[in-house]
Amino acid sequence: MVSGLLKGVITLPFEVVSGLTGIVDADSRSAKYLTAQDVNLMQEKVISLLNDDNQTKTFWQNKQSGNRGTIIKGEASTRHKQKCFHMSFNNHFGKEKETLKELMCADDKGLWKVI
């Protein structure tokens, strides 16, 4: 199952993934403990969540690293005429956990970016 999810990430166009590199703050504990594969799984899940008007929460898990988390799509807003959502990333690694909050907005091409 994980390999299928990872394959989906790899096939996403570069421009879709490039704006999502900031979903894990470089100064966070998540950046220290999450693997590149974990972040790829998160990217795939957050894109699906943001593009689904009926969904507000999703779950990711990497059986290889043992890391997992939930992503919650919060309140919608508008910033510079762009549709935005407040996102919460609840990451679990080992016995530790961390919550990261990000604002994600769609640009004029409909690509989601971390603001």
Side-chain angles (χ1 to χ4, degrees):
M1 181 170 153
V2 171
S3 63
L5 291 176
L6 182 61
K7 182 180 178 191
V9 172
I10 292 170
T11 61
L12 288 173
F14 173 76
E15 60 272 5
V16 171
V17 177
S18 65
L20 299 179
T21 55
I23 65 173
V24 177
D25 185 341
D27 296 326
S28 68
R29 286 181 303 167
S30 293
K32 182 177 179 182
Y33 294 108
L34 296 179
T35 68
Q37 189 177 35
D38 295 337
V39 175
N40 285 341
L41 291 169
M42 290 171 62
Q43 289 172 331
E44 179 183 74
K45 291 291 188 169
V46 78
I47 290 168
S48 294
L49 183 61
L50 288 166
N51 289 322
D52 186 338
D53 292 335
N54 299 314
Q55 189 178 12
T56 59
K57 185 176 182 178
T58 191
F59 177 78
W60 67 270
Q61 181 175 10
N62 184 343
K63 291 183 181 181
Q64 289 181 341
S65 70
N67 298 328
R68 67 192 190 290
T70 55
I71 305 168
I72 300 167
K73 180 171 58 175
E75 185 178 320
S77 63
T78 304
R79 184 170 189 253
H80 304 294
K81 299 182 182 179
Q82 297 175 325
K83 181 178 182 179
C84 301
F85 287 98
H86 294 272
M87 306 295 292
S88 294
F89 297 85
N90 301 306
N91 300 320
H92 298 261
F93 31 86
K95 294 182 180 182
E96 294 189 53
K97 63 182 179 178
E98 179 177 50
T99 299
L100 302 173
K101 297 195 179 280
E102 303 290 352
L103 180 63
M104 312 240 358
C105 299
D107 67 13
D108 55 354
K109 296 178 185 175
L111 300 176
W112 292 99
K113 307 266 184 197
V114 177
I115 303 297

